[in-house]
Amino acid sequence: MRHAGGVPDDLTRLRALRTPAGQRATARAADLLAGGAEVLAGLTRLRAEVGAELAGPAWELARLRARARPVFGADADVLLLTADTLEQAGRPALAARRAARLRVAGSDAADLGCASGTDAIALARAGAAVVAVDRDPVARELTAANAAALGLADRVTVVDADVVDLVAAAEGGTVAGCRAAVLDPARRAGGRRRLDPDRWSPPWPTVAALLDGVPRAVVKVAPGLDHARVPEGVEAEWVSAGGTVVEALLWGRGVSTAWRRASLVHGDAVLELTADEDPGSAPTGPVGTWLHEPDPAVIRSGLVALVAADLGATLVDPTIAYLTSDAPAASPWVASYRVDAVLPFHLKRLRALLRARGVGRVVVKKRGSAIEPEQLARQLRGPGDGSATVVVTRVAGRPTALVCGVDPSR
Ligand SMILES: C[S@@+](CC[C@H](N)C(=O)[O-])C[C@H]1O[C@@H](n2cnc3c(N)ncnc32)[C@H](O)[C@@H]1O
C-alpha cells in the first residue's frame, strides 16, 4: 500500500517492521543506538546494511523503544510503537492497577480507544477476555501486534468501531458486549491539549453516558477536570508521581468506593487518601515555623483539609493551598520547608534580607502570585554562599514572601 507520492504509509511501514527482516533491522538499529551512534552516521550505516526501505522505520522504532523503556520495562523491547501512540500511552503499572480495581479476572473487558494497547494488555494480563476498540487502523495494528508480541493474542480481540456508537448502544451494564470497560479519550489534537472535555475524542457526553450505563467502568480524564463535571456517585481519583499529577480517573458507580481519592506513587507502592464526602476547607491560621506544600494529587482532589487535620496544620490563606504548623511533618503528602522569615513581598526588602543572611542562590516557588519564579530567582541572586527557598504567596490576603530553609554554608 502506497500513497500517490510513492511513500509507504504508516501501516505498510509497521507491517514491514513485523517481518523477520524488519525485526532484524530494528534489533540492529537498537544496537547502533545503544553503542551511541549519531543519527546521521547510524542511519547511513543501517541503510547500507538493511536497505533504505527498512532503515528509517527501524531506526525510529528503536528510538521509541529506548524512550519507552524506563516506564514500560522489558516490554518496550518488543512493542510496536509510533511517536503519537507513545505520547498518548499511560503508565503500564497504573493501567495494571486500574485493571485490578475493575476486578476483570475471568470476565470480559473493553478497551475503548486502545491506541498501542497499554490498557488492553493490562486487562488481558489481569485475566480478562479483552475487546480492544479503535477507529484508527494504525492503533488496531499496534494493539494486535503488541498483544501477540507479549503472548496475549488469544485474550485480545481488536475491533474497528466508533466508541460513541458503542457507548450509545450500551445496555444491561455492558458495552461492546463487555461487563467492564476502560475509556481513555484522546485529549490532544495537532500536538495541542484540548482542555474542553466536549472536544475530547470521544467527547464528554460519551464519557458521562458510559459512567451512567456501565457500572464497572473507569475513564481517564484531564487532571484539570472541573469537579462540577463529576457525576453524582462517581468517584474521582487523582494520581501523582514525582510531584506531578500523572492521571485523573472517574470510576463507575459499581466500583466507586469514595467521594474523592488522592493516590501517590511511592516507590513500588501507591499510597491513598480518601474521603466519603467533601471535607470542606481547612482552617486558616498565622504562619508558623513550618510551611507544607501538599502533593498535587491532594490539592486537585480537594483533600487538603484531611492532610491539614492529620498534621495539625492550618492554611496560610483561605484561597491558597499552603499549610503551616509549628511542628515539622513526616508525611509523604507534603513537602515541608522551615520558615526563617516572613515579609510583605517587596523586591528590595527581600534582596536586602537575603544578602544580610549570606544567601546568594534561591529557588523561588509561588502560589497565588503573578511573579515569574525564574526571573525573580535571577533578580535575587547575590554574592553569598548560602541558599534558600523563597515562597511568594498570599498570606491573609496580602502578597507575602516566606524565606525558607536558609542554609548559609552552601
Ligand atoms: C489517549 S488514546 C488511548 C491511549 C491508551 N489508553 C494507552 O494508554 O496507550 C485514545 C485513542 O482513542 C481513539 N479514539 C478516539 N476517538 C475514538 C472514537 N470515537 N472511536 C474509536 N476510537 C477513538 C484514538 O484513535 C486513540 O487511539
Side-chain angles (χ1 to χ4, degrees):
M1 208 184 331
R2 282 171 185 272
H3 286 311
V7 182
D9 69 15
D10 288 349
L11 272 185
T12 311
R13 274 196 292 269
L14 290 172
R15 283 175 187 157
L17 289 171
R18 292 182 71 186
T19 63
Q23 290 180 26
R24 281 195 299 277
T26 309
R28 181 67 187 126
D31 281 349
L32 289 167
L33 270 171
E38 297 291 338
V39 189
L40 212 60
L43 259 176
T44 309
R45 187 139 168 215
L46 197 60
R47 252 184 231 121
E49 291 181 19
V50 305
E53 287 258 319
L54 277 177
W59 183 267
E60 169 74 352
L61 178 57
R63 210 178 51 79
L64 293 173
R65 284 178 172 173
R67 203 195 298 162
R69 207 168 202 291
V71 173
F72 283 75
D75 283 358
D77 297 342
V78 297
L79 290 177
L80 201 55
L81 299 160
T82 62
D84 245 18
T85 53
L86 181 56
E87 190 180 345
Q88 297 193 73
R91 297 175 176 224
L94 295 179
R97 182 173 173 263
R98 284 196 295 278
R101 187 162 167 197
L102 284 176
R103 300 188 309 272
V104 293
S107 169
D108 35 35
D111 178 2
L112 303 173
C114 54
S116 57
T118 319
D119 281 289
I121 288 162
L123 291 164
R125 281 181 167 159
V130 182
V131 175
V133 179
D134 213 296
R135 62 182 180 188
D136 174 3
V138 170
R140 295 195 300 276
E141 181 80 14
L142 295 177
T143 297
N146 290 337
L150 295 169
L152 299 164
D154 58 337
R155 281 194 233 158
V156 178
T157 307
V158 180
V159 171
D160 174 9
D162 191 320
V163 171
V164 173
D165 299 338
L166 290 177
V167 172
E171 57 175 357
T174 67
V175 61
C178 300
R179 282 159 288 176
V182 176
L183 168 60
D184 180 7
R187 299 184 300 277
R188 283 177 178 277
R192 301 187 57 173
R193 273 183 219 282
R194 290 193 158 166
L195 297 177
D196 178 0
D198 292 319
R199 301 188 64 217
W200 296 347
S201 182
W204 181 260
T206 297
V207 172
L210 180 73
L211 291 167
D212 268 344
V214 181
R216 262 168 71 203
V218 61
V219 183
K220 261 173 93 175
V221 295
L225 185 81
D226 185 349
H227 281 244
R229 288 256 187 191
V230 182
E232 197 59 38
V234 163
E235 174 187 324
E237 175 183 18
W238 279 263
V239 184
S240 75
T244 50
V245 173
V246 289
E247 64 181 34
L249 305 168
L250 299 180
W251 292 94
R253 294 183 184 88
V255 277
S256 284
T257 56
W259 172 73
R260 299 287 186 267
R261 183 182 306 262
S263 303
L264 170 60
V265 179
H266 199 64
D268 285 340
V270 180
L271 309 177
E272 299 185 2
L273 199 65
T274 58
D276 292 338
E277 57 186 35
D278 187 348
S281 184
T284 305
V287 177
T289 320
W290 292 88
L291 184 77
H292 311 291
E293 183 179 17
D295 183 87
V298 171
I299 297 174
R300 291 269 12 139
S301 58
L303 300 182
V304 172
L306 294 191
V307 173
D310 189 40
L311 301 182
T314 49
L315 290 170
V316 298
D317 184 283
T319 62
I320 303 283
Y322 277 135
L323 293 169
T324 182
S325 69
D326 281 330
S331 165
W333 296 106
V334 295
S336 296
Y337 304 86
R338 190 191 67 239
V339 179
D340 293 307
V342 181
L343 63 163
F345 179 64
H346 187 278
L347 184 59
K348 276 191 186 157
R349 284 185 59 190
L350 188 54
R351 203 190 268 139
L353 183 137
L354 292 169
R355 300 247 158 141
R357 298 193 182 194
V359 172
R361 278 176 304 115
V362 298
V363 171
V364 174
K365 300 177 77 70
K366 69 149 187 176
R367 189 156 284 165
S369 163
I371 62 124
E372 208 280 293
E374 271 152 32
Q375 187 188 353
L376 182 61
R378 276 195 301 277
Q379 289 170 319
L380 294 175
R381 204 177 285 152
D385 289 333
S387 61
T389 300
V390 172
V391 179
V392 182
T393 188
R394 274 198 307 275
V395 170
R398 296 199 184 82
T400 304
L402 284 72
V403 179
C404 300
V406 171
D407 181 354
S409 66
R410 278 185 293 158

